[in-house]
């Protein structure tokens, strides 16, 4: 086989065989196929797409390109959740403990933030002492004891995705449904849980900007997961506006705690309850409405908070920060951002908010950058709010005041204030299962 011929084939929109895809992924992972040929293939896939069969083959080859997790030492049904990434998205810190408090096991491997999106590992590591590098046996023990552990990817898992993602990042080939679906699902399948709930974000802060593209991505991932024998469903959720009010690592942990105490922002609470209900449902705990009631009851009595505190302690962290987030060292500097005019906030560029937060120190521009856990943004006004000129829209936090000017400019550019009241937005647009799409 020659990579040249496969590129030629895909360039003309033809379907590759299982053998060809397997040969290509093995050859690229071990370094026999060079980056320049794989870049050409990625661009051809972006432009010509892939059939469902090709996307499934690609995913399975990637999933088995390295180590695959064995969760057999963990008792019970293991459920994973994955978000396609957003701004202010701290749902894993809420729904993981919530679902675990209701008898579901969460053995979760999470990622770090890059660019404008945050990552669960960075958020957790703002808790003093907590480690996300834990060996296999200890990981299983913590999940068996507390119901949940959240760690970084261990060993040599899905090396094909690591190489492909790095190449896609620099060749403008990220925004392709088969490439995103195979990237996410290869990691989810290799992570080994029995059931998977996907949170596919849609809107200005998401990879998929339109609802129809988001539904197509969700459909592709659900069909891959189901085909691989996992219970799998997806919710399409709003990312046209940051989720909740906190953006930034320690700020988001504090907001997750408030949400587990049932006093979190309404939008975050609703998305968490919907995702948690689906996790319980996928784990066979009951019908979707029954599972929603279970999630609401657990939120009302705050039992998820004790689970989060136990997990933090087991992972070496100081659980006092969970019971009292005011212990987090505040950023030494803060700046209020004020409304330049009166009116209604009728559009928010969520990516802009994420970039502003990263510029304050909450994110990385390169993998080597060091995160400042105290940096970030607290939104005081959000989409739809009426504001008067001079009202505080948000408070920016940083350890270096030189970061404020650039971040404030980007933040203000991302908030548009108009004269007419903004149209209400939905939080959950659709649910995608193996049986089809249910729109809300
Ligand atoms: N997240 C991933 O893991 N992969 C993608 O391609 C996009 C988002």
């Amino acid at each position: 086989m020659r990579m040249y011929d496969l590129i030629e084939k895909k360039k003309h929109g033809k379907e590759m065989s299982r053998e060809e895809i397997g040969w290509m992924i093995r050859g690229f992972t071990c370094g026999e196929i060079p980056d320049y040929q794989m870049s050409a293939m990625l661009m051809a896939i972006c432009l010509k797409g892939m059939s469902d069969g090709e996307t499934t083959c690609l995913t399975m080859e990637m999933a088995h390109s390295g180590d695959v997790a064995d969760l057999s030492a963990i008792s019970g049904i293991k459920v994973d959740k994955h978000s396609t990434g957003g701004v202010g998205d701290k749902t894993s810190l809420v729904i993981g403990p919530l679902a675990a408090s209701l008898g579901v096991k969460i053995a979760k491997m999470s990622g770090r933030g890059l660019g404008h999106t945050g990552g669960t590992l960075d958020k957790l590591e703002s808790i003093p002492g907590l480690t996300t590098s834990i060996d296999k046996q200890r990981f299983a023990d913590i999940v068996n004891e507390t119901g949940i552990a959240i760690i970084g990817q261990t060993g040599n898992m899905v090396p094909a995705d690591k190489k492909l993602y790095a190449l896609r990042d620099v060749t403008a080939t990220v925004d392709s449904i088969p490439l995103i679906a195979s990237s996410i699902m290869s990691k989810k399948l290799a992570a080994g849980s029995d059931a998977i709930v996907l949170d596919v974000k849609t809107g200005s802060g998401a990879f998929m900007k339109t609802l129809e593209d988001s539904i197509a991505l969700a459909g592709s991932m659900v069909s891959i997961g189901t085909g691989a024998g996992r219970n799998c469903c997806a919710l399409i959720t709003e990312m046209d506006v940051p989720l909740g009010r906190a953006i930034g690592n320690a700020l988001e942990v504090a907001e997750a705690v408030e949400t587990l105490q049932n006093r979190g922002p309404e939008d975050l609470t609703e998305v968490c309850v919907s995702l948690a209900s689906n996790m319980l449902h996928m784990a066979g705990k009951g019908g979707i409405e029954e599972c929603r009631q279970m999630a609401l009851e657990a939120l009302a009595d705050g039992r998820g908070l004790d689970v989060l505190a136990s997990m933090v302690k087991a992972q070496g962290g100081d659980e006092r920060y969970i019971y009292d987030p005011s212990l987090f060292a505040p950023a030494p500097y803060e700046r209020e951002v004020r409304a330049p005019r009166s009116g209604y906030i009728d559009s928010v560029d969520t990516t802009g908010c994420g970039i502003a937060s990263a510029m304050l120190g909450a994110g990385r521009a390169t993998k080597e950058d060091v995160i400042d856990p105290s940096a970030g943004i607290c939104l005081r006004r959000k989409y739809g709010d009426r504001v008067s000129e001079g009202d505080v829209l948000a408070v920016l936090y940083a350890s270096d005041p030189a970061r404020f000017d650039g971040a404030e400019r980007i933040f203000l550019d991302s908030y548009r204030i108009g004269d007419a009241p903004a149209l209400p937005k939905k939080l959950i647009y659709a649910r995608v299962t193996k049986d089809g799409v249910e729109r809300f």
Side-chain angles (χ1 to χ4, degrees), residues 67-71 109 157 189-192:
D67 302 340
V68 172
D70 173 6
L71 303 184
M109 289 175 203
M157 286 181 80
L189 296 181

Side-chain angles (χ1 to χ4, degrees), residues 82 84 161 165 168 174 179-180 183-184 187 207:
H82 183 87
T84 55
D161 181 64
Y165 199 88
R168 287 168 60 210
V174 170
L179 294 179
I180 297 177
S183 166
I184 291 175
K187 288 177 287 211
F207 280 112

Side-chain angles (χ1 to χ4, degrees), residues 242 244-247 251 255 334-339 345 377-387 390-397 411 415:
R245 295 191 174 269
I247 310 171
L251 296 170
E255 190 168 76
E334 59 181 74
R335 178 185 286 185
E336 290 175 342
V337 182
R338 292 179 181 273
I345 302 170
I377 303 176
C378 273
L379 304 175
R380 292 280 165 79
R381 299 300 177 96
K382 285 186 70 170
Y383 175 86
D385 287 349
R386 162 119 183 82
V387 292
D391 279 356
V392 177
L393 295 177
V395 183
L396 313 184
Y397 297 93
F411 181 83
Y415 261 56

Side-chain angles (χ1 to χ4, degrees), residues 74-98:
I74 300 169
S75 59
I77 306 275
K78 278 82 68 180
V79 183
D80 203 351
K81 166 261 173 190
H82 183 87
S83 153
T84 55
V87 177
D89 179 5
K90 65 285 289 174
T91 52
S92 288
L93 299 179
V94 179
I95 61 181
L98 201 60

